[in-house]
Amino acid sequence: MSELRLVPAALAVWLASLACILSGARAAAAAVACLAVACCAARQWGQAVLVALLGSASAAVALVRLRVARTWVFPHRVVGEVSGQPKQLQSGAWLVRLRVEGYPSTLSVFADDLPAGAVPGAGVEATGRLRPSTFPGVSREVLTGTVEVTDSPRGLAAFAQHVRSTFGESVAAHTGPASRGLIPGMVLGDTSAQTAAEQQAYVDTGLSHLSAVSGANVAIVTTFAVVAATAMRLGLRARLATAAAALLGFAALVGPEPSVLRASVTGLVGLIAVVSTRRAEPLHALCLSVIVLVLVDSDLAVHYGFALSVAATAGIVALYPLLYRALAPTGWPDILVRALAVAVAADVVTMPIVALMAGRVSLVSVLANVLVAPVTAAVTVLGLTAAALSLAPGGLEAPLLALIEPLTWWVHKVAVVGAGLPVATISATPAAVAVCYGWVLAGLFAHRPRLTAGAVAAVLAVGQVQLPQAPLMDISSLRAHVVATRADIEPVPPGTQLVVVLEAGSPTKRPTVTPAGIPVVFPNRDGPVLLRTDGTREIYDGPHAQPRPPRPG
């Protein structure tokens, strides 16, 4: 158990903060006690003590932060600093997270419009109405109103913003439409130039992680530095120093945002995996990073992004060697075997989390990640070099951008084509995902890689066959029967062609029709939809939008 000695402690720290935020101190104490008892039952007395101490510390830290947040009284005008990139929602509104001095978490602010200077590190004043937050976390309130910029970023944040704006302008001047939003996203995590359709395509194909600063970026940068130092025959200390310098340079270019700091810590796990010959070291470092990060920021315990990052890293470290050995007998090219093993290892542990988070999973994510794997590292390394050169006059970055553009065009093409497949994503539950992937792993570990790959390919091919659909209906021309609740539908007046139920609630699970076959829609539950004659509904995003699959229940 020596290679897993920090796993119980990391789990205790994570569960303690998670339980404290979701259910309170008693639930956190019960979770820590259960883990400690399990260690005692396994006669791991030292582990039991470590679990009890670190779990209690995590719960205590989270409890203190929760109490401070609950007693905090925000003034009418909240002064703070923008934390991370503002995000535009599907409704068109903006989500801005503010760091407020003395507040133990970030305050989420929803605004209809965003001033041009509202960038990471900028000082702003938010005015509006506070209301309870519907998202779990230390902060129990959100603000809806307006945002006014009062101060520009300073220090390292100002430098990072200068890099983003300068590099973005250079990319826009030297590359085509397919790369203008993707290059800044893959290199600096700046998605401001991506359209909503592009972002959705990356999500549907499991490539959205490429447009966010993650541990993978840090691992690529530090690994490249280590490989370069090794090629120059430098010693271990010199290689580590070179990697550290590369990491500091990367953080300076991207900026001191919370996501960057978290990525730097998790990315160090990749560095350890490169310089170490034992698989135990990355797992040990990953557990240590989880302990430190959750103690520093209790909100991470309930963040899906953090869970996905940790799960992907753990999956690659633990499953990649096993999957590589299972796929090696196929005789496929080694680069393909390695890319497939990494993609499956990450996908098998993250897909249940995605199913829990969104209710939908991508069926093309493994294939998409395998197809783009050969170009990802090159885009990151060459892109960071181009970003640094863009700060100097003379257009020195132009040749590098010319080399990068075909690579990012390929990534964009994979995303667009993959997202356009009939069943690129499907509704799924975590249990269903675990069962399906369990059969895939069973086939691989049973030394039947070709048969397993063939079966998966056949299932995906059959799934892409688009069955005939009922024709669309023009809702505006139908005679509607409008009622307040589902119970009020009957009796339906003669001549009714559509029933509209105004009750609110969660999205409906399946198409609804009356016993007479009249379609029923729930505008306050499902939002704008396209309606087919059989009652099937499809999400509708505007007059020029393409229909998407039915909303999951």
Side-chain angles (χ1 to χ4, degrees):
M1 190 176 175
S2 60
E3 70 274 11
L4 303 175
R5 58 191 180 276
L6 279 183
V7 171
L11 186 60
V13 169
W14 198 334
L15 284 181
S17 289
L18 178 68
C20 193
I21 291 174
L22 296 181
S23 303
R26 292 183 179 179
V32 173
C34 289
L35 287 174
V37 169
C39 291
C40 291
R43 297 183 181 278
Q44 298 292 331
W45 313 114
Q47 288 286 351
V49 174
L50 186 62
V51 163
L53 290 177
L54 289 179
S56 300
S58 177
V61 169
L63 183 61
V64 169
R65 288 172 175 155
L66 284 169
R67 289 183 175 177
V68 172
R70 288 172 182 171
T71 58
W72 193 276
V73 178
F74 285 104
H76 174 69
R77 184 179 292 268
V78 180
V79 178
E81 184 178 287
V82 178
S83 176
Q85 287 279 354
K87 180 181 179 181
Q88 189 169 24
L89 307 177
Q90 290 185 349
S91 63
W94 289 87
L95 169 60
V96 184
R97 302 188 186 277
L98 300 186
R99 285 194 299 266
V100 180
E101 186 177 357
Y103 192 61
S105 182
T106 56
L107 176 66
S108 297
V109 178
F110 295 91
D112 292 334
D113 298 307
L114 190 70
V119 296
V124 297
E125 288 186 354
T127 306
R129 181 173 60 89
L130 288 169
R131 56 185 177 86
S133 174
T134 58
F135 301 97
V138 172
S139 179
R140 299 302 175 93
E141 294 180 307
V142 298
L143 188 147
T144 303
T146 60
V147 175
E148 179 183 350
V149 177
T150 59
D151 194 10
S152 58
R154 297 181 181 179
L156 192 56
F159 175 72
Q161 178 58 29
H162 174 64
V163 172
R164 280 192 292 267
S165 60
T166 303
F167 186 56
E169 293 172 358
S170 181
V171 170
H174 294 97
T175 63
S179 299
R180 289 173 186 167
L182 190 56
I183 292 178
M186 292 185 67
V187 176
L188 302 177
D190 181 9
T191 60
S192 58
Q194 293 180 7
T195 65
E198 289 175 334
Q199 292 182 8
Q200 188 62 47
Y202 301 141
V203 171
D204 290 345
T205 52
L207 298 178
S208 58
H209 63 93
L210 297 179
S211 290
V213 177
S214 64
N217 299 76
V218 177
I220 290 172
V221 172
T222 53
T223 300
F224 178 79
V226 170
V227 171
T230 303
M232 293 186 289
R233 298 184 177 182
L234 300 179
L236 177 59
R237 292 184 178 179
R239 281 181 284 168
L240 291 176
T242 303
L247 178 59
L248 291 175
F250 173 78
L253 285 175
V254 178
E257 301 178 24
S259 60
V260 177
L261 300 179
R262 293 193 296 267
S264 299
V265 175
T266 55
L268 289 177
V269 178
L271 172 61
I272 296 173
V274 172
V275 299
S276 174
T277 58
R278 293 190 303 163
R279 195 175 46 161
E281 296 300 333
L283 288 174
H284 187 78
L286 179 62
C287 292
L288 187 61
S289 67
V290 168
I291 293 171
V292 173
L293 288 172
V294 174
L295 287 175
V296 171
D297 184 0
S298 300
D299 276 325
L300 290 180
V302 294
H303 279 192
Y304 279 111
F306 181 67
L308 289 170
S309 179
V310 173
T313 305
I316 291 173
V317 171
L319 295 179
Y320 166 75
L322 302 177
L323 291 170
Y324 178 79
R325 287 197 293 269
L327 293 169
T330 59
W332 297 335
D334 187 67
I335 186 174
L336 173 61
V337 171
R338 291 182 181 276
L340 187 58
V342 169
V344 173
D347 206 54
V348 70
V349 293
T350 57
M351 193 174 283
I353 302 175
V354 173
L356 179 64
M357 175 180 65
R360 300 188 69 83
V361 295
S362 173
L363 294 184
V364 298
S365 59
V366 170
L367 178 61
N369 278 279
V370 169
L371 291 176
V372 304
V375 306
T376 302
V379 171
T380 301
V381 174
L382 295 177
L384 285 171
T385 306
L389 291 176
S390 67
L391 302 178
L396 301 176
E397 73 283 0
L400 288 179
L401 291 176
L403 292 175
I404 296 172
E405 184 173 10
L407 307 182
T408 50
W409 174 88
W410 170 247
V411 175
H412 181 267
K413 194 68 175 178
V414 169
V416 171
V417 173
L421 295 175
V423 287
T425 64
I426 61 169
S427 301
T429 63
V433 170
V435 170
C436 293
Y437 242 128
W439 282 107
V440 173
L441 293 179
L444 294 177
F445 293 151
H447 306 294
R448 295 291 187 272
R450 292 190 184 90
L451 179 61
T452 303
V456 172
V459 171
L460 292 179
V462 171
Q464 301 309 317
V465 177
Q466 195 164 13
L467 299 177
Q469 291 182 302
L472 289 171
M473 303 174 63
D474 183 5
I475 297 179
S476 62
S477 64
L478 301 181
R479 180 179 298 175
H481 172 45
V482 182
V483 296
T485 67
R486 186 194 294 261
D488 300 326
I489 293 179
E490 298 292 346
V492 180
T496 297
Q497 298 171 298
L498 176 69
V499 176
V500 180
V501 182
L502 300 180
E503 67 181 6
S506 58
T508 54
K509 295 182 178 181
R510 58 184 63 87
T512 304
V513 295
T514 68
I518 302 173
V520 181
V521 295
F522 300 80
N524 293 327
R525 297 176 65 177
D526 299 324
V529 294
L530 295 172
L531 183 67
R532 297 187 181 274
T533 54
D534 62 354
T536 302
R537 299 178 299 276
E538 297 174 348
I539 298 174
Y540 180 66
D541 289 334
H544 304 292
Q546 296 295 321
R548 297 183 190 170
R551 182 190 297 269

